Amino acid sequence: MKSNLPNLIEVDASRCRRDLRCAAVCPVGLIVAGPDGPVIAGDAAQRCAECGHCVAVCPTGALSHRVMKPSECAPLPGEWRLRPELVEVLLKARRSCRAYRNEPVPREILERVIDAARYAPSGLNRQPVKWLVVHDRAAVRGVLEAAVAWMRGAVRDRLPVADRLGLARLVAGWDAGTDPIGRGAPHLIVAHANQQEMTAPAACLIALSHLEIAALPFGLGTCWAGYLMAGAAASPAVGAAFGLPAGHAVFGVMMIGYPKFSYQRIPLRRPADIGWR
């Protein structure tokens, strides 16, 4: 929420190095060079995205924002950057998990994972993403049943999506006692937002991408619940099964739980298709 209070950004002249780092990183150009150091635009309160870049970049803590002071922002440890080869392994070793142990994940662990994922970027720092954790097994089952009901209707009515997504096969698997939709995941994490917010679709997908990486150190496996996402987009009943606030839409669903198996190798992928100009 934007602040309309005066003095949104303040600079302690006695600590300021006048290196204008704050001006260089401000996304909307609210900080400019003045005769004695950085100067704040008069309409800063109306245009500020409250991203905190100016506070985070100042090496002396000379700059304070109305909604975040340097003392309130955790300092980065000195050796926080991972070596490139470790990041490569982390990203390449990530697998979509479709086989889960019958073991619930404690709420406090899921909260830590989401706490990390909420730092994912969003357009204009709007931070539109809201989170729903479908933690209860019965609630997960209810969402899956709503999705299966939509699939049955699509198959019955011969909708194009039925052939495109192979819904008849999924319904047959469900009726046979398997779970080809939720893959037995004990929990679902939903990224949702006001359906009128233009930055929401990208912000929710980016946040969930961060979430699946943030889950790895906790020994968790994740998988994008594409069938549930398709069902929520196509069927009001599937969307309603999540119990979201009025006016909100599902923009992403992730299965999450403890993997039943661990992987020993990194499978091959096609080379990156890169163009240069």
Side-chain angles (χ1 to χ4, degrees):
M1 182 176 180
K2 299 293 186 294
S3 169
N4 57 7
L5 297 173
N7 302 321
L8 184 72
I9 300 172
E10 297 180 342
V11 179
D12 183 345
S14 67
R15 303 173 67 182
C16 178
R17 292 181 180 177
R18 296 168 179 77
D19 55 16
L20 296 177
R21 297 185 185 191
C22 51
V25 302
C26 179
V28 288
L30 298 181
I31 307 173
V32 298
D36 299 313
V39 175
I40 313 304
D43 61 348
Q46 287 70 46
R47 295 198 292 129
C48 180
E50 297 182 355
C51 64
H53 282 11
C54 55
V55 177
V57 79
C58 182
T60 62
L63 190 146
S64 292
H65 193 287
R66 177 71 70 178
V67 300
M68 63 185 89
K69 295 178 172 56
S71 59
E72 298 171 331
C73 299
L76 286 170
E79 298 296 330
W80 68 274
R81 294 186 184 276
L82 296 175
R83 299 195 308 276
E85 55 270 24
L86 290 181
V87 175
E88 288 178 7
V89 172
L90 175 71
L91 296 177
K92 292 178 180 179
R94 185 216 62 83
R95 304 263 67 79
S96 294
C97 180
R98 296 181 177 88
Y100 296 89
R101 301 205 307 260
N102 186 23
E103 179 183 349
V105 181
R107 291 191 176 196
E108 55 269 24
I109 291 180
L110 295 178
E111 288 173 350
R112 286 191 64 183
V113 171
I114 292 173
D115 187 65
R118 70 186 173 93
Y119 277 82
S122 60
L124 298 174
N125 193 40
R126 297 290 290 269
Q127 302 178 56
V129 184
K130 309 297 181 185
W131 300 94
L132 169 69
V133 181
V134 187
H135 195 264
D136 182 75
R137 285 276 192 175
V140 172
R141 179 79 182 186
V143 171
L144 296 176
E145 289 175 345
V148 172
W150 161 68
M151 292 177 182
R152 289 189 196 280
V155 172
R156 180 193 64 232
D157 298 337
R158 299 183 178 179
L159 299 181
V161 69
D163 286 336
R164 192 161 60 246
L165 297 182
L167 299 186
R169 173 182 55 81
L170 298 176
V171 171
W174 179 268
D175 290 343
T178 64
D179 179 10
I181 304 162
R183 299 288 184 167
H187 316 297
L188 302 171
I189 295 182
V190 182
H192 62 97
N194 188 307
Q195 57 191 357
Q196 301 301 322
E197 171 56 54
M198 65 178 182
T199 66
C204 287
L205 293 179
I206 294 170
L208 281 174
S209 294
H210 276 55
L211 183 139
E212 64 176 338
I213 300 301
L216 293 176
F218 294 94
L220 295 172
T222 59
C223 185
W224 291 83
Y227 295 122
L228 294 181
M229 292 165 63
S235 167
V238 177
F242 288 103
L244 301 182
H248 276 226
V250 173
F251 289 107
V253 185
M254 190 78 72
M255 311 170 205
I256 192 165
Y258 292 110
K260 185 177 290 186
F261 309 110
S262 61
Y263 290 85
Q264 311 303 317
R265 297 165 194 84
I266 297 173
L268 300 181
R269 291 290 185 264
R270 290 190 293 271
D273 188 347
I274 305 174
W276 301 89
R277 294 190 64 184

